[in-house]
Amino acid sequence: MQNELKRPDWIRVPASVSKGFKETLKIVKEAGIHTVCEEALCPNIGECWKSKTATFLIMGDTCTRHCGFCNIKSGQPQPLSEDEPEKIAESVEKLGIKYAVITCVTRDDLEDGGSLHFAKVIRKIKEINPETKVEILTSDLKGNEDSIKTIVDAKPDVFGHNMEIVRRLHKQVKHPPADYDVSLNFLKTVKKLDPKMITKTGMMVGVGETKEEVFGIIDDVVQSKVDIISIGQYLTPSTAHYPIMRYVMPEEFDEYTKYGQSKGIEVISGPLVRSSYKARETYISLCHLD
């Protein structure tokens, strides 16, 4: 089925080559750090890197899980790099980033899931770049409240964790030990630990879900007091990955936006939307900042 689907006209990815893109690539490579922009083959890499923004991938480039949709390699990760927090913070400074997005590979091999390392990165960014806002996107940390609290205590400006897939398809596409309810409870726990913390989640469509199931996941995260949800088209990295079942029409994305907004949640929805897409703009809008 995947090979029979023709990519529609509304799925258009801008060319990546630009002065800003090359400068960002140079800084990232010289620092020896990873970005999810590259590792996950993000379709917005050209637009974001042109404006000197990037989503940094910490704790290595190897994930301990093997989800059917993800292009990040899986296997046994290397030990954590103790100088990574400083390298990330210095790269944020060199790029002049005022809104840094930090995500990670899943590290089930670590007792705390890497939460302490994540906290060190947040604190170091804020130490070197006191005016920079920090949005994070973490793994589920196996739902461990102590690990979640370690990160909450580091005071990120936005705490994100992605639901990714509707409940019915969660185990089929994301694969255990990832679990729909663990992820939902994760988001609830962040708000329990700090009710003022802005929380965010994201999901993909086009993997076989129904419209009603998307409404259902929006309802679930609204009940968990999540502030922001991003909804984007799944684009399979290769024929070896989970297939695209359909390309969702732009009008359907508009329906999800309207439905979420009617429920009181900030929605970023569109074919090329990804977790960190327009992250700074959304934060500014949500906080009513200039």
Side-chain angles (χ1 to χ4, degrees):
M1 183 176 182
Q2 180 178 335
N3 294 332
E4 297 174 357
L5 290 179
K6 180 181 178 182
R7 181 168 292 197
D9 292 339
W10 62 81
I11 304 288
R12 296 178 184 273
V13 181
S16 297
V17 178
S18 68
K19 182 180 179 181
F21 179 90
K22 292 177 180 178
E23 289 175 352
T24 300
L25 180 63
K26 183 174 184 290
I27 290 171
V28 166
K29 295 302 181 185
E30 286 178 350
I33 57 180
H34 301 284
T35 69
V36 76
C37 318
E38 299 170 284
E39 303 293 340
L41 301 180
C42 180
N44 302 308
I45 187 171
E47 179 182 352
C48 294
W49 281 25
K50 182 179 180 180
S51 60
K52 289 190 177 182
T53 62
T55 298
F56 298 97
L57 181 70
I58 64 171
M59 297 192 280
D61 63 351
T62 304
C63 184
T64 54
R65 298 187 187 179
H66 185 67
C67 296
F69 63 87
C70 188
N71 193 58
I72 293 176
K73 66 182 178 181
S74 60
Q76 181 61 41
Q78 295 295 315
L80 294 177
S81 174
E82 294 300 323
D83 63 352
E84 184 173 52
E86 188 165 2
K87 283 185 175 181
I88 295 290
E90 289 175 349
S91 295
V92 168
E93 182 182 34
K94 287 178 182 178
L95 288 167
I97 292 175
K98 297 304 179 185
Y99 194 94
V101 183
I102 313 297
T103 188
C104 65
V105 292
T106 299
R107 293 295 302 261
D108 290 328
D109 59 313
L110 302 174
E111 186 175 350
D112 71 343
S115 60
L116 180 58
H117 189 80
F118 223 122
K120 289 178 180 178
V121 171
I122 296 167
R123 290 192 172 101
K124 183 58 72 171
I125 290 173
K126 288 180 172 286
E127 175 190 327
I128 296 179
N129 310 272
E131 300 301 317
T132 297
K133 301 298 182 183
V134 179
E135 176 175 317
I136 63 169
L137 178 63
T138 77
S139 64
D140 61 26
L141 303 173
K142 298 181 181 178
N144 186 288
E145 185 167 332
D146 289 338
S147 295
I148 298 171
K149 186 177 187 302
T150 295
I151 298 177
V152 168
D153 288 347
K155 300 297 182 184
D157 296 283
V158 178
F159 197 139
H161 169 66
N162 284 346
M163 296 297 297
E164 300 286 14
I165 305 289
V166 298
R167 180 184 291 276
R168 177 175 59 87
L169 298 171
H170 205 271
K171 287 182 171 60
Q172 179 178 333
V173 181
K174 200 169 182 184
H175 301 171
D179 181 83
Y180 186 94
D181 288 310
V182 168
S183 287
L184 198 59
N185 288 331
F186 181 106
L187 294 164
K188 291 178 182 177
T189 300
V190 175
K191 279 292 191 184
K192 182 184 77 173
L193 293 169
D194 185 350
K196 294 183 179 180
M197 180 76 68
I198 296 174
T199 53
K200 181 176 181 178
T201 194
M203 67 169 297
M204 304 175 291
V205 292
V207 296
E209 75 292 326
T210 66
K211 191 183 299 184
E212 289 70 26
E213 287 176 319
V214 177
F215 293 151
I217 197 172
I218 293 173
D219 288 340
D220 283 345
V221 298
V222 166
Q223 290 174 11
S224 299
K225 300 181 180 179
V226 174
D227 299 288
I228 307 166
I229 184 170
S230 63
I231 305 173
Q233 171 70 51
Y234 170 57
L235 297 174
T236 184
S238 74
T239 55
H241 289 79
Y242 197 86
I244 301 171
M245 296 301 178
R246 69 183 178 112
Y247 285 105
V248 177
M249 299 285 287
E251 294 79 9
E252 189 170 325
F253 284 106
D254 291 340
E255 286 187 60
Y256 297 144
T257 298
K258 292 175 182 176
Y259 183 82
Q261 290 175 341
S262 74
K263 298 290 184 175
I265 189 171
E266 193 80 15
V267 182
I268 313 96
S269 178
L272 293 179
V273 166
R274 294 297 180 266
S275 301
S276 59
Y277 186 61
K278 301 293 185 183
R280 181 172 183 269
E281 293 86 341
T282 305
Y283 174 81
I284 290 172
S285 174
L286 189 66
C287 297
H288 306 291
L289 302 174
D290 294 330

